[in-house]
Amino acid sequence: MLEAIKQGPKEDSLFDLSGGRRAFIDEAEARELLRPLADDPTNSCTKIRFTNRSFGSEAAKVAVSVLSSIKHQLTEVDLSDFVAGRPEAEALQVMNMFSSALEGSKLRFLDLSDNALGEKGIRAFASLIKSQRDLEELYLMNDGISQDAARAVRDLLPCTAKIRVLQFHNNMTGDEGAVAIAEIVKNCPSLEDFRCSSTRIGSAGGVALAEALESCSRLKKLDLRDNMFGVEGGIALAQTLSVLTELTEIYMSYLNLEDEGTEALSEALVNSAPSLRVLELAGNDITVKSTGKLAACIASKQCLSKLNLSENELKDEGTILIAKALDEGPDQLTEVDLSTNMMRRAGARALAQTVLKKHTFKLFNINGNFISEEGVDEVNDMFKDSPEKLGLLDDNDPDGEDFEDEDEEAEEEEDSELEAKLGGLKIKQEEE
């Protein structure tokens, strides 16, 4: 890594210290690592990446001296995970030093993730944040962003009109913090990529975010996974999705949407987001009750390439409805995940037959279901010419719920009834 750094900034104008394992940087090493920038006043470096290198106060003095001299040309700064393992007082001192050194720069990209910032850390970067009026991408992931820290971000950002990417993944924001983030989002008309996953947001915060997102008509990627929006939040999101016509990726797994929230979202998406490529709704307690409307939504998405409905309760009836929707719908499907859905042999066959028709298909996951040994053998045989497309089947429980004491004849009879009931979807038997 040292040899690469000694050669100075490359043609892509990126100066990168992030290679190798996380390491503490002392003053002497900082001088050596930053020498290419310090010794070449004519360098054209526009991007710096200091992630994975922990700066103490003495090393920071060396760094800020260099950064102060080139800040006028910088457009991208990555300071993620750059004070790891430092005592709080020293970490805050380093943050203040870097903030002052970069104040007044005209950045398009700023990443402060993985620094356990909290409100104190956000305010330590106040001078830098307050001076930015051209930011297009802001990353504050895994930063301990509480409700107070979220309010600090809201108060410090001077201009959000150009922000295209805004990410708050893995924080402890909660509902009140979500309200502050919603105020930021509402003033981001250029937003294309919004991530607020794993942030402990409940229904009230979910509703606030949903309403704010209505102002983001250019949004393409929405990631709200692993929160507690519930049905109320899901219904609010449905109203918003109906106007976000440019969406291509939606990640709404583990939101406690249940059937009512899922139905609302499905109905909204039928007439919106025509170019949707990714739909994730895992872990939402979805049953066959809402699968009809969900299937209609899926069938309407001709560009869909990835579908994740894992960890729900679709069983065979819901699974066959999804299989029919995929058969009638997208031609460029690449991934389907219906693992852990109480699925048995009939659903597995229907789904496998459908995905094998797709020439672009790459990965099929139905592990963790209640497929019989005969059903597992049947699916394996169906994928015998492309085994790399079939995920593991070692976690299926043939004696799972609703499967005990059912003999082969009864299973075949129920399979036939399901197929007839669900619109005549034909499930071909493999020839002996």
Side-chain angles (χ1 to χ4, degrees), residues 326 333-337 343 347-367 371 374-393 428 430:
L326 292 172
L333 200 64
T334 61
E335 296 182 29
V336 168
D337 188 345
M343 180 197 313
R349 277 205 315 251
L351 203 57
Q353 178 185 330
T354 296
V355 300
L356 282 170
K357 294 178 183 178
K358 309 295 182 179
H359 299 298
T360 57
F361 199 76
K362 296 179 180 179
L363 183 61
F364 184 49
N365 185 7
I366 53 171
N367 208 7
I371 308 170
E374 293 82 1
V376 170
D377 290 341
E378 191 171 13
V379 171
N380 276 317
D381 190 52
M382 294 172 75
F383 280 85
K384 63 185 179 182
D385 293 330
S386 53
E388 73 283 356
K389 297 180 181 179
L390 180 61
L392 295 175
L393 290 168
K428 299 180 180 178
E430 291 293 315

